[in-house]
Amino acid sequence: MRPRGLSGSVSPGPGVPAWLLLPAVIGFALVIGPLLALTTAVDWANFFGLITSPASRDALTLSVRTAAAATLLCIALGVPMAVLLARARWRALPVLRSLVLLPLVIPPVVGGLALLYLFGRNGLLGRELEAAGIRIAFSTTAVVLAQTFVALPFLVITLEGAMRTAGDRFERIAATLGARPTVVWWRVTLPLLRPALISGSVLAFARALGEFGATLTFAGSLQGRTRTLPLEIYLQRETDADAAVALSLLLVLVAVLIVLIAYRRVGAAANGRTA
């Protein structure tokens, strides 16, 4: 057996063809290259001032607040949805699953239009809400709903995949011992899903933080009310390119940090199960 590290060439590992290295490197470069280019365009001398202007602070604060609210809404709605998709035996589940995943593939602008025709002044539900004095479109609530619409699938598919991988053996054992379904959920199912729930929530938060198209279409761009950080970047691109680049880098750094946290939790959970 040849000692590891003496082969004289880079090997991707056992069972992985070496020819996969070239397209993999090109793919990594395609993702990392634009981000590196972004860092070279930043006005580092004025970076802190650009990201702490009143408009930038308002946009960042609003983005964090609405993304956090959207994440909580994703948890409240997405956890029951994932449980039904993973455990129920309905014939309509494939259709429901396809509809849940639809926000992942349709343009966000289309999602914003759909929300507008549901909650807008002349929308399907909007007319009744307007009559009751409740206006959702072009408000902070609209931002939260738009972010929830695009982020919900990330939480649902993460939890559903975790439940299918874990199976229902432990729940069945608890049920045979006389535990009620609610007790089984809180004492057995939820602890097993905690790593996936954390990871899915973090990914949902990251997606909500970067939402642009649905927010612009459904909520508009009102400073302090609906103008999130992505919208502020879009507007600054036309008037102050340095500010747009600085805010873009800030958003990238926050997103990278969030994704690293999520995947670290996934890796820790996987190592814990295999230990």
Side-chain angles (χ1 to χ4, degrees), residues 12-29:
V16 180
W19 58 266
L20 289 177
L21 280 174
L22 179 58
V25 169
I26 295 175
F28 285 126

Side-chain angles (χ1 to χ4, degrees), residues 4-125:
R4 185 179 300 177
L6 298 181
S7 60
S9 62
V10 178
S11 174
V16 180
W19 58 266
L20 289 177
L21 280 174
L22 179 58
V25 169
I26 295 175
F28 285 126
L30 183 62
V31 174
I32 299 173
L35 301 180
L36 291 177
L38 186 65
T39 62
T40 64
V42 175
D43 182 6
W44 292 107
N46 300 309
F47 178 76
F48 186 76
L50 291 172
I51 65 174
T52 56
S53 66
S56 299
R57 290 200 307 268
D58 288 345
L60 179 60
T61 302
L62 180 65
S63 291
V64 173
R65 284 174 42 229
T66 55
T71 302
L72 292 176
L73 193 55
C74 285
I75 294 173
L77 303 177
V79 173
M81 292 168 63
V83 172
L84 290 179
L85 290 176
R87 294 288 188 259
R89 296 294 182 266
W90 301 339
R91 290 185 178 181
L93 281 181
V95 177
L96 288 176
R97 184 178 294 107
S98 300
L99 294 175
V100 169
L101 299 181
L102 202 57
L104 294 176
V105 296
I106 64 173
V109 173
V110 176
L113 280 175
L115 289 169
L116 189 61
Y117 279 103
L118 178 63
F119 294 109
R121 177 177 298 179
N122 297 315
L124 190 62
L125 297 179

Side-chain angles (χ1 to χ4, degrees), residues 170-263:
F170 296 107
E171 288 97 330
R172 290 180 180 274
I173 293 174
T176 58
L177 294 176
R180 295 179 179 273
T182 302
V183 175
V184 174
W185 165 251
W186 288 110
R187 298 291 184 86
V188 180
T189 307
L190 192 58
L192 289 174
L193 291 179
R194 187 176 292 117
L197 178 58
I198 294 173
S199 300
S201 300
V202 172
L203 291 176
F205 179 83
R207 180 62 187 90
L209 191 66
E211 165 50 32
F212 172 78
T215 303
L216 181 61
T217 307
F218 181 44
S221 179
L222 304 173
Q223 185 172 350
R225 290 182 56 192
T226 66
R227 187 178 300 171
T228 58
L229 192 56
L231 295 180
E232 181 67 21
I233 293 171
Y234 179 77
L235 294 175
Q236 292 287 2
R237 183 179 62 90
E238 300 292 337
T239 59
D240 189 348
D242 289 338
V245 172
L247 292 175
S248 297
L249 183 61
L250 176 64
L251 188 58
V252 168
L253 292 175
V254 173
V256 168
L257 179 62
I258 291 171
V259 173
L260 284 176
I261 292 173
Y263 276 93

